[in-house]
Amino acid sequence: GALAVLGVQEDCIRTWVRELHCRYTFVPYHNEAHGAQVAHFSYWFAKQTGLLDHAQPFQMCALLIAAFAHDVGHFARTSMFLSKTSHAVALIWNEASVLENMHTSICFALMSGKSDILKNMPASQRTQIRVAVTRYILATDVKLHASAMSKLKAMMDDKTFLSNVDNEEAERQEEEIIVAGEFIMRTADIAHCMLPWEHHKEWSYRVQIEFFEQGDFERSLGLPISPLCERETCNIAGGQAFFIDHFGVGLMTVLKDFGKRLVGGNNDALQECIDIGLKNKDKWKEEAKSFDALSLSMKTVEELWGAAVKEVVYPYSIEKAAALAPQVCEQNLRMLADFKSPIIGG
């Protein structure tokens, strides 16, 4: 378990999780429920493909840390919007994977004091985890989709891929595990399209609300409306068909081949995910008849699936003083500016 790998007390991990929790904002899609879902998918995919048996415990721990934190601090605006409005986040990270870089920085900045979950790890392994977590979170940048597909496919064509190796080949195998982990993260991030219809439909409505609200804001600013964000021209059936085919089924097909390469045979569970995704694509044709882009809002979601419970419920007892208030983007950026190194103190 994480306690054994990280070598810290349970309270330390809980403190880090609470810090993470208060920085996931109350937005329709990129919230902490999405983070938890991606963590669940990441572990399940690692198990189904056989990566769990090839990776070292600290490597799997890095994957789960990244999954939980991969959208922390998200405030329902795309990287494109941040760039064209000269937002501070885009300026700080120089227009390159700006949201993903922000999520990564917040993830590590929270590892301080009583919430430093890496403090007892050897320096070399701490560095390895930081590198892996960074790469896993940055891998969720959708612009890297095509290159990631090609990279993993090329590695799998090598007959020595993730084979038992001597010490001289250990560095190569570590890179292969990270590349596989990147691919799992990327697939887990969009895997709701392979959930049963009602679950997939709700998540799709939620992300579309974020897009439309951004488009409404862009219109009010007199800016060109970003792709996927225009209510009036939305083709929900066509958009979802492209998303499911290009991202969902495309990624899952490669992931299934990856699992076959590691453990042999066909994986019925992964194939079932693909089959569900294709069924969901067909269902959007019927759903499009009643989909109202012009009025879509969180009120729509609450009428269909109910409102979220706003009270925070912890799975363990906690003093009220230890509960943290929600933090917004400006507060997160200030935290990063004030961050002090746990090693040199400044």
Side-chain angles (χ1 to χ4, degrees):
L3 293 177
V5 174
L6 297 173
V8 294
Q9 296 295 314
E10 193 173 70
D11 282 348
C12 180
I13 296 178
R14 287 176 171 176
T15 303
W16 180 75
V17 170
R18 290 198 299 273
E19 292 280 0
L20 203 65
H21 153 74
C22 76
R23 286 171 174 81
Y24 265 105
T25 55
F26 296 105
V27 294
Y29 181 86
H30 292 95
N31 50 48
E32 64 180 346
H34 170 65
Q37 185 182 73
V38 171
H40 173 81
F41 273 130
S42 295
Y43 184 83
W44 190 77
F45 287 150
K47 185 176 181 179
Q48 291 295 322
T49 58
L51 181 66
L52 186 62
D53 298 323
H54 285 74
Q56 297 182 50
F58 82 89
Q59 292 170 324
M60 279 304 305
C61 196
L63 181 64
L64 294 179
I65 290 171
F68 277 118
H70 83 282
D71 270 333
V72 64
H74 204 296
F75 48 100
R77 294 292 183 264
T78 64
S79 289
M80 179 182 292
F81 174 86
L82 301 183
S83 294
K84 68 184 180 182
T85 57
S86 297
H87 193 283
V89 171
L91 297 179
I92 292 169
W93 284 283
N94 299 316
E95 315 293 338
S97 299
V98 294
L99 281 170
E100 293 77 17
N101 272 300
M102 179 187 74
H103 304 320
T104 306
S105 295
I106 294 173
C107 171
F108 288 125
L110 297 179
M111 298 178 189
S112 177
K114 294 181 179 180
S115 58
D116 186 0
I117 59 176
L118 303 183
K119 62 185 177 183
N120 290 336
M121 301 199 77
S124 60
Q125 205 166 78
R126 185 181 179 113
T127 298
Q128 285 178 299
I129 283 191
R130 284 180 55 87
V131 169
V133 169
T134 299
R135 287 185 56 176
Y136 292 151
I137 296 179
L138 294 183
T140 61
D141 185 345
V142 71
K143 290 185 293 186
L144 304 177
H145 173 75
S147 60
M149 294 269 280
S150 300
K151 191 173 185 179
L152 183 60
K153 284 180 178 180
M155 282 187 167
M156 288 194 297
D157 287 340
D158 188 333
K159 64 181 181 179
T160 65
F161 178 66
L162 285 180
S163 58
N164 292 325
V165 295
D166 54 32
N167 290 335
E168 293 181 0
E169 297 292 327
E171 186 174 332
R172 174 182 64 80
Q173 186 172 43
E174 182 177 354
E175 174 63 14
E176 290 171 345
I177 287 173
I178 289 180
V179 170
E182 289 175 326
F183 201 86
I184 281 176
M185 272 285 293
R186 185 173 290 106
T187 308
D189 195 27
I190 55 86
H192 71 79
C193 66
M194 287 160 286
L195 289 173
W197 170 247
E198 280 300 317
H199 299 291
H200 163 57
K201 177 183 170 182
E202 180 181 355
W203 283 110
S204 298
Y205 270 50
R206 285 175 171 274
V207 74
Q208 203 63 58
I209 289 168
E210 287 191 9
F211 289 152
F212 287 160
E213 288 181 347
Q214 175 178 310
D216 295 343
F217 189 40
E218 288 170 328
R219 183 181 291 106
S220 73
L221 295 173
L223 296 172
I225 297 178
S226 299
L228 306 177
C229 298
E230 175 57 82
R231 292 180 186 270
E232 296 180 2
T233 59
C234 174
N235 174 5
I236 191 65
Q240 290 296 327
F242 175 81
F243 173 74
I244 291 172
D245 281 338
H246 187 65
F247 292 102
V249 174
L251 289 168
M252 280 299 302
T253 300
V254 175
L255 202 62
K256 183 184 174 186
D257 292 341
F258 168 65
K260 188 175 182 178
R261 179 75 169 75
L262 261 60
V263 299
N266 290 315
N267 187 300
D268 292 338
L270 294 178
Q271 182 59 50
E272 184 180 4
C273 290
I274 295 172
D275 294 341
I276 290 173
L278 293 173
K279 289 178 182 177
N280 287 339
K281 182 179 74 169
D282 290 336
K283 284 181 178 291
W284 279 109
K285 298 173 185 176
E286 183 65 28
E287 181 67 19
K289 297 175 183 178
S290 59
F291 181 79
D292 186 358
L294 296 180
S295 65
L296 183 64
S297 67
M298 275 307 294
K299 183 179 179 181
T300 311
V301 170
E302 291 172 358
E303 289 174 349
L304 290 171
W305 293 283
V309 177
K310 293 186 178 180
E311 179 186 0
V312 178
V313 179
Y314 293 98
Y316 50 86
S317 61
I318 180 175
E319 295 292 334
K320 286 186 178 181
L324 302 172
Q327 304 289 296
V328 298
C329 179
E330 290 78 6
Q331 291 167 306
N332 289 329
L333 295 181
R334 172 55 59 187
M335 174 192 67
L336 295 176
D338 293 341
F339 179 76
K340 288 181 170 42
S341 165
I343 298 174
I344 62 175

